Amino acid sequence: MEYTDQMKNRLKRIEGQIRGVLKMMEEGEDCRDVVSQLSASRTAIDRTMGVIVSENLVECVQKAIEDGEDTKEYVDQAVNLLVKSR
């Protein structure tokens, strides 16, 4: 699978969010604000995983169809990846 610039940019933004959280902690910011930012980071990570899994699924299903294979296994694997990530 090829990881797109969009995927990489998402992770770079998340990296910036995490750095921001560390700075907040070092500055003694309120715990509610820190947790709020951590929650936003987690949501961004979850969405990035969804993008990666869905892009990979599309590629795998297209190839399976071209090869005359059943696609159910690929869908099941993608669902399992997303379920296990939570």
Side-chain angles (χ1 to χ4, degrees):
M1 169 174 187
E2 182 177 331
Y3 298 101
T4 65
D5 287 341
Q6 176 199 19
M7 293 173 192
K8 294 172 191 173
N9 288 337
R10 284 175 173 262
L11 288 176
K12 289 176 184 176
R13 281 193 301 273
I14 294 166
E15 180 181 31
Q17 282 181 299
I18 298 298
R19 282 195 188 119
V21 172
L22 284 170
K23 183 178 178 188
M24 291 173 70
M25 293 171 85
E26 289 168 354
E27 294 174 352
E29 296 286 334
D30 186 78
C31 124
R32 290 173 291 210
D33 295 332
V34 170
V35 170
S36 176
Q37 288 303 308
L38 285 171
S39 178
S41 299
R42 179 174 53 197
T43 299
I45 289 170
D46 289 342
R47 289 183 179 160
T48 302
M49 286 189 298
V51 167
I52 291 170
V53 170
S54 66
E55 290 289 325
N56 183 262
L57 177 60
V58 168
E59 287 180 20
C60 290
V61 167
Q62 286 175 340
K63 184 173 182 332
I65 290 171
E66 290 170 4
D67 295 344
E69 297 176 11
D70 183 23
T71 59
K72 183 181 180 326
E73 180 182 340
Y74 294 107
V75 174
D76 290 344
Q77 288 175 358
V79 170
N80 285 333
L81 272 176
L82 292 174
V83 169
K84 287 180 182 178
S85 70
R86 289 303 314 174

